[in-house]
Amino acid sequence: MSDQINLRRRRLLGTTVAGLSLMELGLSGLANAQSNSTKAGSSVASFDNLKQINAGTLSIGYAEAGPQNGPVVILLHGWPYDIHAFAEVTPLLAAAGYRVIVPYLRGYGTTRFLSADTPRNGQQAVVAVDIIALMDALKIDKAIFGGFDWGARTVNIIAALWPERCKAMVSVSGYLIGSQEANRTPLPPKAELAWWYQFYFATERGAAGYDANRHEFNKLIWHTASPKWKFDDATFERSAQSFSNPDHVAVVIHNYRWRLGLVKGEPQYDDLEKRLAAAPTIAVPTITMEGDANGAPHPDPAAYAKKFTGKYAHRNIDGGVGHNLPQEAPKAFADAVIDVARF
């Protein structure tokens, strides 16, 4: 990690985390601070007492920790992961005084559509609209956001389109806002190969295959996206439960087909997508992060640095850290959230 960590704050966090009760954290176990290296051992917390709230077209399941009057941090996972990507980040932030909200995205865990008639849409804009609806339902005016994969794209979109709702942002792999038009441009063969699952999902065979084999499929993605992360079966199984959501396959397939322009989104989001297609800059304070062993397709930090026009910093995280950076290097991610809040 390139930035110096404040040792006094580290000691304070460690002491506070050890002293907080399970009730205060809203967790069934405490997560010990982990070093930035994936090789360092630590206990992993399980979220307990999940909450549920109607927001927009969804009933959203979410974990919450920390003081109710603390500054709000919203943490967003990606595919094929779930809220447990932040199981060790959450107690660190709660101990630092933040109110932490970790929702299941549409198609994951306990999040459900309120109506059988709502399209199981996975286009980029709608996931951001879901989170704005969640903030409205929880009466949260403004939050610090952190995310990776789908979650990073979503926090990018919120920061770009609703900057008044975003105090600051931590984004793994930087700027991920895209468009169907931009995705029509072919990539070099090696780059296309890295997106093999996107082309698989474009077929009916792929949709059926993912439905039948989502457990094995997603475990393969975990291995290829984080080739140096030595996660155990229990760690994967805890997250794999979220893939049993009845809408999971439909949302995932629509997401990747929409990216290639093979399916349409919902008309009410056309204006948002038009604005996103222009690749808007982001002015809110931002820290972007990248692991040194990310096996998933990701842009070079130099390619997106100029998209962030406010106070900005990038951090490369060493130690064999892959795509799921918050779970592989939780202390580095939590430090980034705390630091960006002070920008």
Side-chain angles (χ1 to χ4, degrees):
M1 183 173 177
S2 59
D3 293 67
Q4 290 288 333
I5 299 173
N6 186 299
L7 295 179
R8 180 178 298 175
R9 187 176 73 241
R10 181 192 292 177
R11 295 190 191 102
L12 177 61
L13 291 182
T15 301
T16 308
V17 169
L20 288 175
S21 68
L22 301 184
M23 182 178 297
E24 287 171 322
L25 288 179
L27 304 171
S28 65
L30 288 176
N32 295 328
Q34 176 178 328
S35 78
N36 296 341
S37 171
T38 60
K39 297 177 182 179
S42 64
S43 62
V44 179
S46 297
F47 289 112
D48 198 9
N49 300 323
L50 289 178
K51 299 181 179 182
Q52 206 77 22
I53 191 168
N54 289 353
T57 62
L58 302 173
S59 170
I60 297 179
Y62 65 99
E64 183 170 0
Q68 282 292 306
N69 62 348
V72 178
V73 175
I74 298 176
L75 303 175
L76 302 179
H77 67 84
W79 172 86
Y81 307 94
D82 81 332
I83 64 174
H84 291 93
F86 301 102
E88 292 178 86
V89 171
T90 297
L92 294 174
L93 294 176
Y98 292 93
R99 178 188 177 192
V100 187
I101 309 289
V102 193
Y104 281 113
L105 300 186
R106 55 170 53 201
Y108 295 81
T110 61
T111 293
R112 297 289 188 273
F113 286 87
L114 294 173
S115 171
D117 297 328
T118 303
R120 272 43 179 174
N121 178 0
Q123 71 182 101
Q124 62 177 355
V126 75
V127 185
V129 169
D130 291 343
I131 303 305
I132 294 296
L134 174 65
M135 295 177 71
D136 291 343
L138 293 174
K139 296 180 170 53
I140 295 171
D141 292 328
K142 202 166 192 174
I144 302 159
F145 288 90
F148 73 105
D149 196 85
W150 289 19
R153 180 174 296 105
T154 302
V155 303
N156 288 176
I157 292 170
I158 292 171
L161 299 187
W162 295 278
E164 71 280 3
R165 309 300 296 269
C166 181
K167 178 181 178 181
M169 175 181 70
V170 173
S171 176
V172 176
S173 297
Y175 187 92
L176 298 178
I177 296 173
S179 72
Q180 290 180 319
E181 184 61 35
N183 288 338
R184 289 191 176 96
T185 303
L187 300 173
K190 185 177 181 180
E192 295 282 21
L193 177 63
W195 287 106
W196 68 270
Y197 53 87
Q198 183 170 242
F199 302 114
Y200 181 64
F201 289 161
T203 69
E204 289 308 304
R205 175 188 173 95
Y210 185 60
D211 191 15
N213 303 295
R214 67 187 84 171
H215 185 282
E216 294 81 4
F217 195 105
N218 290 343
K219 195 169 188 178
L220 172 64
I221 296 295
W222 276 39
H223 281 297
T224 58
S226 299
K228 296 186 179 181
W229 182 29
K230 306 302 180 184
F231 61 88
D232 57 23
D233 288 342
T235 298
F236 176 75
E237 294 299 336
R238 185 175 55 249
S239 289
Q241 296 177 31
S242 72
F243 312 143
S244 297
N245 182 295
D247 303 304
H248 177 75
V249 173
V251 171
V252 170
I253 296 300
H254 187 273
N255 176 283
Y256 286 102
R257 290 183 178 181
W258 179 88
R259 295 190 199 191
L260 294 178
L262 302 176
V263 295
K264 294 182 178 180
E266 294 178 76
Q268 63 263 41
Y269 306 118
D270 285 352
D271 287 344
L272 295 178
E273 294 294 354
K274 184 177 180 179
R275 292 169 64 188
L276 295 173
T281 57
I282 293 173
V284 305
T286 298
I287 292 177
T288 57
M289 308 182 76
E290 192 61 77
D292 64 338
N294 187 355
H298 61 278
D300 185 277
Y304 55 70
K306 291 183 180 179
K307 300 304 293 184
F308 300 98
T309 59
K311 190 167 184 181
Y312 171 72
H314 177 77
R315 296 179 178 181
N316 291 311
I317 309 302
D318 298 327
V321 176
H323 190 60
N324 184 0
L325 192 151
Q327 196 164 2
E328 297 176 60
K331 204 177 79 62
F333 191 89
D335 282 344
V337 172
I338 292 169
D339 291 344
V340 81
R342 297 170 177 169
F343 272 16

